[in-house]
Amino acid sequence: MQNQHPLDASGVMTGPEGTDLRASLAADENVLATLKVDLNPQLHFEDGVLALTNQRLVFLNAKGEEAFWPIVPGMSLRLLDHGGVGTLELHTDAERLVLWRFTLGFHPQAIALMQRFEKLERRLDAEQSGQSLPSQLDEEEALCPACHTPLPPDSDECPACARQQAPHTSTWVLLRLWRFAKPYKNQLLLGFLLTLAATGAQLVAPYLTIPIMDKILIPYQNGEKIDPGVVAYYLGGLLIAALVAWVLGWARTFVLAKVSERIGSGLRTTTYNHLLKLSLDYYGSKRTGDLMARIGAETDRINLFLSLNALDFATDVLMMVMTAAILFSINPWLALVTLVPLPFIAWMIHLVRERLRTGFEKIDRVWSEVTNVLADTIPGIRVVKAFAQEKREADRFAEANLANLQANDRVNKTWSLFTPTVTFLTEVGLLIVWGFGIWLVADGSITVGVLTAFIAYIGRFYSRLDSMSRIVSVTQKAAAGAKRIFDILDHVSNVPDPQNPVRMQNVKGELTMEDVSFRYGSRSVIKHLDLTIQPGEMIGLVGHSGSGKSTLVNLICRFYDVSEGSIQLDGVDLRRIAVSDFRRNIGLVLQEPFLFFGTIAENIAYGKPDATREEIVAAARAAHAHEFILRLPHGYDSLVGERGQGLSGGERQRISIARALLIDPRILILDEATSAVDTETEKEIQRALDNLVKGRTTIAIAHRLSTLRKADRLVVMDRGEIVEVGPHDELMAAEGAYYRLYMAQARRAEEDAEAAGVVIDAASRVAAASAQAPRESV
């Protein structure tokens, strides 16, 4: 299998702007791997292509300019990533020769190119030393055409892509619903028995037509008198059968509908509870609207199937089996003629089922996109209106809605052909039965009453057959919905609870990080980090954007688990503590405060629902929120809109701080907790925090030094590593990384003031700098 490279429609390997990369290669050069480079060294978007051949590295930029580096022993490639940007560097033993930058979407290509380069280097080293070349180095590695990662030996399937491909939906997935139906097995058995009895009662009426025709109507046509008692007997039988069928049908529907609603409710609750247990990385790869559609629309669809369609299907099957048994008992040959359309209908169902399955899967996907647009737009309506993007969002919705319409049209096209065809086949079958039955009556093999009963039974048989064919559609819908539900339930959290959790009593708050590393997919964020935070110590995290501060906080909160190493609380690995028990000891104030729809008091007491009003007020006072809450129309009972609409950013932040303080945590984490408040409000909050952090382990991320000025230690991070640790004065005296960050911010403060026409002397510079900390974000 040949390696995959950027090819145009004619099969020529192309560089940026359609330039022919092959023209840059010698006749004996063989391209081993390629990498699309979409950034220039200044981090501006600019296309290029880097090719590794068996002789050199060749780079072609967007202007058609070519550069190459012959491969010699001692060369090496180094792959780095930081802040969403990948960097590939070519080094010799003495210096770095060149670098290429790209967005992380091309990271798999870069890894593949590095692997081929290292193999080529090993081959060159082996040839230079005169050693025999290992056989595996001579083998050509094939690359996956989709993700450009090396394929396993003797395999054409990429494991990475295979993991990402969703399995096909099968109707058998509906059997997995038994897990939710098992608690109601007695009610289901009762429903089945009622269905069996009701179906039997419905089959009494056609059978009674035989004596009515043969003993009453036909003799009357031949001149005999009608016996009123016999007529009343048979008509009474028909009435009783109808009443019994009605009562049994009502009971059956009521019992099974109640069971199906409880199954659907259990499915919805279990799915939601499982979602709450999943780690944050799962939500990072999903859209809100899609998850809402799964729990809402998909469970409703399954509910409908269980309460109505599955019941109808069971009734149809029983009706057909029992009817077929009666038909064969009356006349086997006429019964066989009745079954003539069945093979054709079964063949059509087989063909249509596959098309409906793929069609409904497509409908589910496009419908979730419709809900995604709603989930994006409605919460962000203020931004939409602020930037006058109503038309743009309307166009987005119209586009998604059109895709949904087109997907439904394709399914309806298939279904519209299938349904009348089944009806036509049943009509043809009925015509055949009529013809064969008339011949049997003429031959004297059956009576007119038998033929009449047969036609009545066949009408029910074919109507049930037609109904069963229609159930194919709803069954495939339910199967597609069940698959999407079980996709959630089958997902295992990356932050699992331990089998035998350690119960933490009297938590002191000591945090120890030993050789901690963490990766977001293929991107390394934290690297071999060691840090010990003593109980009651306040730590300030400082560093550039993307240095790993918020990631470290996420690891401490165990929103993610470390890739390597361990984080310990009072000497116990966090992975040995139940997640809920551990997080009860953490108070978290986020950079962007989130409030739920409800009252002020309910939001403050979110972490402690049973808190008294006195405790809520005390927490609000400590966060300096009490005064503005009392100014609201209903005080602590005032409703706040979704996500805190109606409150300012500073007010939301103070409620968020009060919410964290109410649970009295042993560990307090402030992730830019004062970034959304003005200077005066920040001073009020800071005065409260100065008292509250005493005796409590505190980790603070802030861009203002006023928040960190009383920290016991500052931890300076850069590219996922700790580069400096110490108090402010020591770090300033060392004139290292923290000093440079500090002075850079001081210069920015000076420039901002000068832009405003303010003259700043040396003393005021120091004052301005002390009010700011190195700027950073999550």
Side-chain angles (χ1 to χ4, degrees), residues 9 31 37 58 72 114 142-143 187 228 238 274 291 337 349 354 461 498 509 532 554 613 643 661 677 690 696:
V31 176
V37 178
V58 181
V72 297
M114 274 193 62
L143 301 181
Q187 293 94 319
L238 289 174
H274 187 76
L291 295 177
V337 172
I349 290 175
E354 180 67 18
F461 183 87
T532 298
N554 288 335
R613 181 54 63 98
R643 298 174 184 250
L661 297 176
V677 299
D690 288 342
R696 180 180 287 115

CSV table of all heavy atoms in Angstrom, one decimal, residues 9 31 37 58 72 114 142-143 187 228 238 274 291 337 349 354 461 498 509 532 554 613 643 661 677 690 696:
chain,number,residue,atom,x,y,z
A,9,ALA,N,-6.7,16.5,-8.4
A,9,ALA,CA,-7.6,15.7,-9.2
A,9,ALA,C,-6.9,14.8,-10.2
A,9,ALA,O,-7.4,13.7,-10.5
A,9,ALA,CB,-8.7,16.5,-9.8
A,31,VAL,N,9.0,10.1,-2.0
A,31,VAL,CA,8.4,10.8,-0.8
A,31,VAL,C,7.9,9.8,0.2
A,31,VAL,O,7.1,8.9,-0.1
A,31,VAL,CB,7.2,11.7,-1.3
A,31,VAL,CG1,6.6,12.4,-0.2
A,31,VAL,CG2,7.7,12.8,-2.3
A,37,VAL,N,1.7,22.7,6.3
A,37,VAL,CA,2.1,23.8,7.3
A,37,VAL,C,1.2,25.0,7.0
A,37,VAL,O,1.3,25.5,5.9
A,37,VAL,CB,3.6,24.1,7.1
A,37,VAL,CG1,4.0,25.3,8.0
A,37,VAL,CG2,4.5,22.9,7.4
A,58,VAL,N,12.1,18.8,2.1
A,58,VAL,CA,11.8,19.8,1.1
A,58,VAL,C,10.6,20.6,1.5
A,58,VAL,O,9.6,20.0,1.9
A,58,VAL,CB,11.5,19.2,-0.3
A,58,VAL,CG1,11.2,20.3,-1.3
A,58,VAL,CG2,12.7,18.3,-0.8
A,72,VAL,N,21.4,14.1,6.9
A,72,VAL,CA,22.7,13.5,7.3
A,72,VAL,C,22.7,13.0,8.7
A,72,VAL,O,21.8,13.4,9.5
A,72,VAL,CB,23.9,14.6,7.2
A,72,VAL,CG1,24.0,15.1,5.7
A,72,VAL,CG2,23.6,15.7,8.1
A,114,MET,N,7.7,12.6,11.7
A,114,MET,CA,8.8,12.4,12.6
A,114,MET,C,9.2,10.9,12.7
A,114,MET,O,10.3,10.5,12.8
A,114,MET,CB,8.4,12.9,14.0
A,114,MET,CG,8.6,14.3,14.3
A,114,MET,SD,8.5,14.7,16.1
A,114,MET,CE,9.8,13.7,16.7
A,142,ALA,N,2.8,2.2,5.7
A,142,ALA,CA,1.7,2.8,5.1
A,142,ALA,C,1.0,3.8,6.0
A,142,ALA,O,1.0,3.6,7.2
A,142,ALA,CB,0.7,1.8,4.6
A,143,LEU,N,0.5,4.9,5.5
A,143,LEU,CA,-0.2,5.9,6.3
A,143,LEU,C,-1.7,5.9,6.0
A,143,LEU,O,-2.1,5.6,4.9
A,143,LEU,CB,0.4,7.3,6.0
A,143,LEU,CG,1.9,7.5,6.2
A,143,LEU,CD1,2.2,9.0,5.9
A,143,LEU,CD2,2.3,7.2,7.6
A,187,GLN,N,-45.7,-7.0,35.4
A,187,GLN,CA,-46.7,-6.2,34.7
A,187,GLN,C,-46.7,-6.5,33.2
A,187,GLN,O,-47.7,-6.6,32.5
A,187,GLN,CB,-46.5,-4.7,35.0
A,187,GLN,CG,-46.8,-4.3,36.4
A,187,GLN,CD,-45.5,-4.3,37.2
A,187,GLN,OE1,-44.7,-5.2,37.1
A,187,GLN,NE2,-45.4,-3.3,38.1
A,228,PRO,N,-85.6,-17.4,15.4
A,228,PRO,CA,-85.2,-16.2,16.2
A,228,PRO,C,-84.2,-16.6,17.3
A,228,PRO,O,-83.3,-15.9,17.7
A,228,PRO,CB,-86.4,-15.6,16.7
A,228,PRO,CG,-87.5,-16.1,15.8
A,228,PRO,CD,-87.1,-17.5,15.4
A,238,LEU,N,-71.6,-12.8,19.3
A,238,LEU,CA,-70.9,-11.7,18.7
A,238,LEU,C,-70.7,-10.5,19.7
A,238,LEU,O,-69.7,-9.9,19.8
A,238,LEU,CB,-71.5,-11.2,17.4
A,238,LEU,CG,-71.4,-12.2,16.2
A,238,LEU,CD1,-72.2,-11.7,15.0
A,238,LEU,CD2,-70.0,-12.4,15.8
A,274,HIS,N,-26.1,9.5,34.5
A,274,HIS,CA,-24.9,9.1,34.0
A,274,HIS,C,-24.1,10.2,33.3
A,274,HIS,O,-22.9,10.3,33.5
A,274,HIS,CB,-25.1,8.0,32.9
A,274,HIS,CG,-23.8,7.3,32.4
A,274,HIS,ND1,-23.1,6.4,33.1
A,274,HIS,CD2,-23.1,7.5,31.2
A,274,HIS,CE1,-22.0,6.1,32.5
A,274,HIS,NE2,-22.0,6.7,31.3
A,291,LEU,N,-27.0,16.8,23.2
A,291,LEU,CA,-27.3,16.0,24.5
A,291,LEU,C,-28.8,16.2,24.9
A,291,LEU,O,-29.4,15.3,25.4
A,291,LEU,CB,-26.3,16.5,25.5
A,291,LEU,CG,-24.9,16.1,25.3
A,291,LEU,CD1,-24.0,16.7,26.4
A,291,LEU,CD2,-24.7,14.6,25.1
A,337,VAL,N,-52.7,-20.5,0.0
A,337,VAL,CA,-52.8,-19.4,-1.0
A,337,VAL,C,-52.8,-18.1,-0.3
A,337,VAL,O,-52.3,-17.1,-0.9
A,337,VAL,CB,-54.2,-19.7,-1.7
A,337,VAL,CG1,-54.5,-18.5,-2.6
A,337,VAL,CG2,-54.1,-20.9,-2.6
A,349,ILE,N,-39.5,-5.5,3.0
A,349,ILE,CA,-39.2,-5.0,4.4
A,349,ILE,C,-37.6,-5.1,4.6
A,349,ILE,O,-37.1,-4.1,5.2
A,349,ILE,CB,-39.9,-5.8,5.5
A,349,ILE,CG1,-41.4,-5.5,5.4
A,349,ILE,CG2,-39.3,-5.5,6.8
A,349,ILE,CD1,-42.2,-6.4,6.4
A,354,GLU,N,-33.0,-1.2,5.8
A,354,GLU,CA,-31.6,-0.7,5.7
A,354,GLU,C,-31.7,0.8,5.3
A,354,GLU,O,-31.0,1.6,5.9
A,354,GLU,CB,-30.8,-1.5,4.7
A,354,GLU,CG,-29.4,-1.0,4.6
A,354,GLU,CD,-28.5,-1.2,5.9
A,354,GLU,OE1,-29.0,-2.0,6.7
A,354,GLU,OE2,-27.5,-0.6,6.0
A,461,PHE,N,-56.0,-10.7,8.7
A,461,PHE,CA,-54.6,-11.1,8.6
A,461,PHE,C,-53.8,-10.1,7.8
A,461,PHE,O,-52.7,-9.7,8.2
A,461,PHE,CB,-54.6,-12.5,7.9
A,461,PHE,CG,-53.2,-13.1,7.7
A,461,PHE,CD1,-52.6,-13.8,8.7
A,461,PHE,CD2,-52.5,-12.9,6.5
A,461,PHE,CE1,-51.4,-14.4,8.5
A,461,PHE,CE2,-51.2,-13.4,6.4
A,461,PHE,CZ,-50.6,-14.2,7.4
A,498,PRO,N,-13.3,5.2,42.9
A,498,PRO,CA,-12.6,3.9,43.3
A,498,PRO,C,-13.6,2.9,43.7
A,498,PRO,O,-14.7,3.2,44.2
A,498,PRO,CB,-11.7,4.4,44.4
A,498,PRO,CG,-12.4,5.6,45.0
A,498,PRO,CD,-13.1,6.3,43.8
A,509,GLY,N,-6.0,19.7,54.4
A,509,GLY,CA,-5.9,20.5,53.3
A,509,GLY,C,-4.5,20.5,52.7
A,509,GLY,O,-4.2,21.4,51.9
A,532,THR,N,4.3,21.0,46.7
A,532,THR,CA,3.6,20.7,47.9
A,532,THR,C,3.0,22.0,48.5
A,532,THR,O,3.7,23.0,48.6
A,532,THR,CB,4.5,20.0,48.9
A,532,THR,OG1,5.1,18.8,48.4
A,532,THR,CG2,3.8,19.7,50.2
A,554,ASN,N,-7.8,22.4,37.5
A,554,ASN,CA,-8.7,21.4,37.1
A,554,ASN,C,-8.3,20.0,37.6
A,554,ASN,O,-9.1,19.2,38.0
A,554,ASN,CB,-8.9,21.3,35.6
A,554,ASN,CG,-9.7,22.5,35.0
A,554,ASN,OD1,-10.5,23.1,35.8
A,554,ASN,ND2,-9.4,22.9,33.8
A,613,ARG,N,-31.3,30.5,56.6
A,613,ARG,CA,-31.2,31.9,56.0
A,613,ARG,C,-30.1,32.7,56.7
A,613,ARG,O,-29.5,33.5,56.1
A,613,ARG,CB,-32.6,32.6,56.3
A,613,ARG,CG,-32.7,34.0,55.7
A,613,ARG,CD,-32.3,34.1,54.2
A,613,ARG,NE,-33.1,33.4,53.4
A,613,ARG,CZ,-34.2,33.9,52.7
A,613,ARG,NH1,-34.4,35.2,52.8
A,613,ARG,NH2,-34.9,33.1,51.9
A,643,ARG,N,-28.6,32.1,33.8
A,643,ARG,CA,-27.2,32.4,33.8
A,643,ARG,C,-27.0,33.8,34.5
A,643,ARG,O,-26.0,34.5,34.2
A,643,ARG,CB,-26.7,32.5,32.4
A,643,ARG,CG,-26.7,31.1,31.7
A,643,ARG,CD,-26.3,31.2,30.2
A,643,ARG,NE,-26.5,29.9,29.6
A,643,ARG,CZ,-25.5,29.2,29.2
A,643,ARG,NH1,-24.2,29.6,29.4
A,643,ARG,NH2,-25.7,28.0,28.5
A,661,LEU,N,-18.2,30.2,49.8
A,661,LEU,CA,-17.8,30.4,51.2
A,661,LEU,C,-18.8,29.7,52.1
A,661,LEU,O,-18.5,29.3,53.2
A,661,LEU,CB,-17.8,31.9,51.5
A,661,LEU,CG,-16.7,32.7,50.8
A,661,LEU,CD1,-16.8,34.1,51.1
A,661,LEU,CD2,-15.3,32.1,51.1
A,677,VAL,N,-14.9,42.4,38.6
A,677,VAL,CA,-15.4,43.5,39.5
A,677,VAL,C,-14.5,44.7,39.3
A,677,VAL,O,-13.4,44.6,38.9
A,677,VAL,CB,-15.4,43.0,41.0
A,677,VAL,CG1,-16.3,41.8,41.1
A,677,VAL,CG2,-14.0,42.6,41.4
A,690,ASP,N,-9.2,38.2,52.9
A,690,ASP,CA,-8.0,38.2,53.8
A,690,ASP,C,-8.3,37.5,55.1
A,690,ASP,O,-7.4,36.8,55.6
A,690,ASP,CB,-7.6,39.7,54.1
A,690,ASP,CG,-6.9,40.4,52.9
A,690,ASP,OD1,-6.5,39.6,52.0
A,690,ASP,OD2,-6.9,41.6,52.8
A,696,ARG,N,-7.2,28.1,55.8
A,696,ARG,CA,-7.8,27.4,54.7
A,696,ARG,C,-6.7,27.3,53.6
A,696,ARG,O,-6.2,28.4,53.2
A,696,ARG,CB,-9.1,28.0,54.2
A,696,ARG,CG,-9.7,27.3,53.1
A,696,ARG,CD,-11.0,28.1,52.7
A,696,ARG,NE,-12.1,27.8,53.7
A,696,ARG,CZ,-12.6,28.7,54.5
A,696,ARG,NH1,-12.2,30.0,54.4
A,696,ARG,NH2,-13.5,28.4,55.3
